[in-house]
């Protein structure tokens, strides 16, 4: 009896999930498909700011891997090392146990993690926004700061706790600031702070405009909505140093704050660089078919892969969910073709436009190149998200409806502490446990400006690996 070939997919994000779904449909039992992922869900990242703002319940943005992937075996674990010669992926399970998976075909879709910059205090005093634990932590933290401000007698302390600094005016940072201002305004309406102090959100970026990667009309729309809402938008400005009491800006101003949200972009998962293969700024160089040169059994897609952009000769596709989703499908098709002797297809794409949710009925969108703003853009944006999500559509729509007619619940759950979601982690999808395993070298964390009253109960492994995506 001839054993079935085994296809191992590392990562269950946009690229890995789509590759697994495509292969499950094509293989039909002729190959064993194994998905290695730290969690048992696919995370729909674009809606994460709405989780932090209390609009969506956390499970709404997660889709069960075992419940939606046909003929795919899920192995819970984090890939730590890939032996290309032995065709084996070594991983660490959720309870610290180790394991290995042999493969005939490998799809590397490890995704990305928070991008770090060598700025003093950032690793110790900022938090990223790449995983569900970080969104849940930020929601609790924002509520806590408003509640502490309401009970404070010192006007300066109230102002500091009601100041929230977001660094990075790309998709994530812009949406976090936009949703955050609405959320905190709603909180203080129900529990006023001192003498009428209004929460202040700051959005910083060294770029010349908000959403610098998008069309200027969308950028202008987002900038106008943010400023009208009261967000302090500072372009050409960033953080020079972060401390326990606030941040020093590059223009020399010191801002008293207890909240620093790091949204400057992402860097490829460190697993990609550990393979010792040709790289392009931390991403694996691949052929247009997504195959790794010199390793015909290995394919890579998503943020971990530098895929030649057919629309821009000499360039590579940007690290976006749209490209990862499309590349995941192509990876599945080409892996199946490589097993059957079929022809491999090169990556091609058509720009379908972009959507940015600015909270309430406000959004900026350009579907098929048509610029929209206001309520029409909001409808298109939410319609796009519902169509793009591989599950939970009815539940998401129900939460949106409830948010439109009912006040949000401003209650801390206390499930995620500051020390469990460090900025410099290779696994933002997992909340860190005291003394828990990590893929990188350990270092004891310093004091944390975002949650100083909840110190870590034991050694927590951290990393310091400055890197340079916005």
């Amino acid at each position: 009896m001839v054993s079935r070939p085994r296809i191992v997919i590392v990562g269950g994000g946009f690229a890995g999930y789509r590759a697994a779904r495509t292969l499950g449909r094509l293989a039909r039992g002729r190959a064993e498909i194994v998905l290695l992922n730290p969690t048992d869900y696919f995370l729909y990242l674009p809606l994460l700011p709405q989780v932090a703002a209390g609009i969506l319940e956390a499970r709404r943005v997660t889709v069960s891997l075992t419940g939606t992937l046909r003929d795919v075996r899920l192995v819970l674990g984090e890939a730590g090392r890939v032996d290309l010669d032995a065709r084996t992926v070594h991983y660490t399970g959720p309870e610290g146990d180790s394991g290995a998976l042999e493969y005939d075909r490998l799809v590397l879709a490890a995704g990305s993690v928070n991008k770090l910059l060598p700025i003093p205090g950032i690793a110790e005093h900022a938090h990223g926004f790449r995983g569900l634990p970080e969104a849940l932590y930020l929601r609790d933290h924002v509520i806590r700061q408003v509640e502490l401000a309401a009970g404070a007698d010192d006007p300066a302390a109230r102002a500091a706790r009601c100041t929230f600094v977001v660094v990075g005016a790309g998709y994530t940072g812009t949406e976090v600031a936009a949703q955050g201002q609405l959320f905190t305004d709603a909180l203080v309406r129900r529990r006023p702070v001192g003498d009428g102090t209004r929460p202040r959100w700051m959005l910083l970026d060294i770029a010349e405009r908000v959403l610098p990667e998008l069309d200027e009309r969308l950028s202008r729309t987002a900038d106008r909505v943010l400023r009208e809402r009261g967000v302090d938008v500072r372009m050409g400005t960033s953080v020079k140093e972060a401390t326990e009491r606030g941040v020093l800006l590059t223009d020399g101003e010191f801002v008293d704050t207890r909240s620093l949200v790091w949204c400057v972009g992402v860097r490829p998962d460190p697993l990609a660089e550990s393979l010792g293969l040709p790289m392009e700024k931390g991403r694996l160089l691949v052929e247009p078919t997504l195959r790794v040169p010199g390793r015909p059994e290995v394919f890579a897609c998503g943020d971990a892969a530098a895929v030649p952009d057919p629309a821009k000769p000499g360039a590579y596709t940007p690290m976006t969910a749209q490209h990862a989703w499309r590349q995941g499908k192509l990876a599945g098709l080409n892996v199946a073709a490589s097993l059957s002797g079929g022809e491999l297809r090169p990556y091609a794409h058509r720009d379908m436009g972009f959507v940015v949710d600015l909270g309430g009925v406000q959004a900026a969108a350009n579907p098929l190149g048509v610029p929209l703003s206001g309520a029409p853009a909001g409808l298109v944006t939410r319609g796009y998200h519902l169509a793009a999500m591989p599950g939970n559509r009815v539940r998401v729509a129900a939460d949106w409806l409830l948010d439109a007619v009912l006040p949000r619940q401003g209650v801390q759950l206390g499930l995620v502490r500051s020390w469990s979601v460090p900025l410099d982690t290779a696994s933002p999808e997992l909340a860190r446990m005291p003394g828990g395993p990590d893929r990188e070298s350990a270092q004891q964390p310093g004091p944390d400006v975002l949650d100083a009253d909840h110190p870590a109960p034991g050694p927590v492994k951290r990393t310091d690996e400055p890197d340079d995506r916005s």
Side-chain angles (χ1 to χ4, degrees):
M1 178 178 178
V2 180
S3 61
R4 296 182 299 166
R6 175 184 285 174
I7 305 167
V8 174
I9 303 169
V10 177
F14 278 88
Y17 180 89
R18 189 79 185 278
R21 194 168 77 171
T22 302
L23 282 165
R25 175 174 53 85
L26 295 176
R28 299 186 181 278
R30 294 191 296 272
E32 180 188 4
I33 306 166
V34 180
L35 175 60
L36 177 64
N37 198 57
T39 66
D40 64 354
Y41 60 80
F42 159 79
L43 175 64
Y44 190 74
L45 270 168
L47 291 181
L48 211 54
Q50 297 192 26
V51 174
I55 299 172
L56 296 177
E57 198 270 328
R59 287 178 298 175
R60 304 295 185 255
V61 298
T62 64
V63 177
S64 169
L65 296 176
T66 55
T68 57
L69 295 178
R70 183 180 63 182
D71 296 328
V72 176
R73 178 165 69 94
L74 173 65
V75 174
L76 288 176
E78 295 183 78
R81 182 171 63 90
V82 179
D83 189 330
L84 295 172
D85 295 327
R87 297 192 179 189
T88 303
V89 178
H90 298 268
Y91 66 91
T92 302
E95 296 182 349
D97 53 312
S98 59
L101 291 167
E102 296 182 351
Y103 61 84
D104 295 282
R105 294 291 186 276
L106 175 65
V107 179
L108 287 167
S112 54
V113 298
N114 292 309
K115 180 173 71 174
L116 302 181
L117 296 177
I119 298 174
I122 287 297
E124 294 81 11
H125 303 299
H127 283 285
F129 203 79
R130 288 293 299 167
L132 195 56
E134 292 170 321
L136 290 173
Y137 168 73
L138 180 60
R139 180 178 182 273
D140 269 10
H141 171 75
V142 167
I143 296 172
R144 181 167 62 253
Q145 295 309 305
V146 172
E147 289 176 342
L148 290 172
D153 295 325
D154 181 9
R158 288 199 299 264
R161 293 196 179 277
C162 282
T163 299
F164 305 89
V165 179
V166 181
V167 186
Y171 289 105
T172 303
T174 298
E175 291 192 350
V176 167
Q179 298 282 6
Q181 185 74 67
L182 289 180
F183 184 38
T184 52
D185 282 351
L187 291 175
V188 298
R189 277 197 297 271
R190 285 162 35 197
R191 186 177 181 184
V193 176
D195 53 359
T197 299
R198 185 192 180 194
R200 174 194 183 195
W201 284 77
M202 298 183 67
L203 180 61
L204 314 176
D205 202 302
I206 59 173
E208 295 181 355
R209 58 187 175 92
V210 172
L211 299 171
E213 65 272 35
L214 297 190
D215 179 88
E216 286 195 31
R217 286 172 292 187
L218 297 187
S219 177
R220 286 196 298 269
T221 297
D223 187 273
R224 174 180 54 79
V225 171
L226 290 170
R227 293 181 188 274
E228 289 177 353
R229 194 168 290 169
V231 176
D232 186 355
V233 180
R234 304 270 191 102
M235 294 295 97
T237 307
S238 189
V239 172
K240 184 176 182 180
E241 182 181 1
T243 71
E244 291 185 28
R245 313 312 297 176
V247 292
L248 176 63
L249 305 185
T250 52
D251 62 8
E253 179 184 353
F254 187 85
V255 178
D256 289 320
T257 181
R258 305 293 180 269
S259 309
L260 179 57
V261 189
W262 191 254
C263 300
V264 299
V266 296
R267 59 189 171 107
D269 190 289
L271 178 67
E273 197 165 11
S274 71
L275 299 178
L277 296 173
M279 310 290 293
E280 171 63 29
K281 294 184 178 179
R283 305 163 75 188
L284 277 174
L285 281 171
V286 298
E287 300 169 353
T289 59
L290 307 184
R291 185 174 250 170
V292 174
R295 295 285 178 175
E297 75 282 1
V298 181
F299 294 76
C301 52
D303 288 354
V307 181
D309 191 338
K312 299 178 181 178
Y316 301 94
T317 57
M319 298 162 66
T320 66
Q322 281 193 35
H323 282 295
W325 190 247
R326 295 164 179 168
Q327 290 168 13
K329 179 180 180 180
L330 180 65
L333 292 171
N334 282 347
V335 167
S338 73
L339 291 172
S340 62
E343 182 179 354
L344 274 60
R345 308 178 190 177
Y347 181 63
H349 69 89
R350 180 189 176 196
D351 186 358
M352 302 297 289
F354 300 92
V355 296
V356 181
D357 195 322
L358 300 174
V361 298
Q362 296 291 335
N366 62 343
L368 300 177
V370 179
L372 298 174
S373 61
L379 287 173
V380 168
T381 298
R382 296 203 166 183
Y384 168 80
H385 287 315
L386 287 180
M389 288 192 71
N392 290 351
R393 296 186 181 95
V394 173
R395 289 186 171 94
V396 168
D399 273 8
W400 283 341
L401 178 60
L402 289 173
D403 182 67
V405 298
L406 295 175
R408 296 180 199 174
Q409 294 179 290
V411 178
Q412 296 181 60
L413 298 179
L415 299 178
V416 183
R417 298 302 191 190
S418 174
W419 50 264
S420 64
V421 284
L423 179 64
D424 47 356
T425 175
S427 307
E429 65 274 10
L430 295 176
R432 186 69 50 77
M433 302 299 291
D438 192 8
R439 283 186 285 161
E440 302 181 60
S441 58
Q443 187 173 72
Q444 180 72 18
D448 196 321
V449 67
L450 288 184
D451 202 10
D453 32 281
H454 294 295
V460 180
K461 295 186 178 180
R462 300 281 300 268
T463 61
D464 288 294
E465 183 183 347
D467 197 306
D468 65 295
R469 166 191 167 205
S470 182

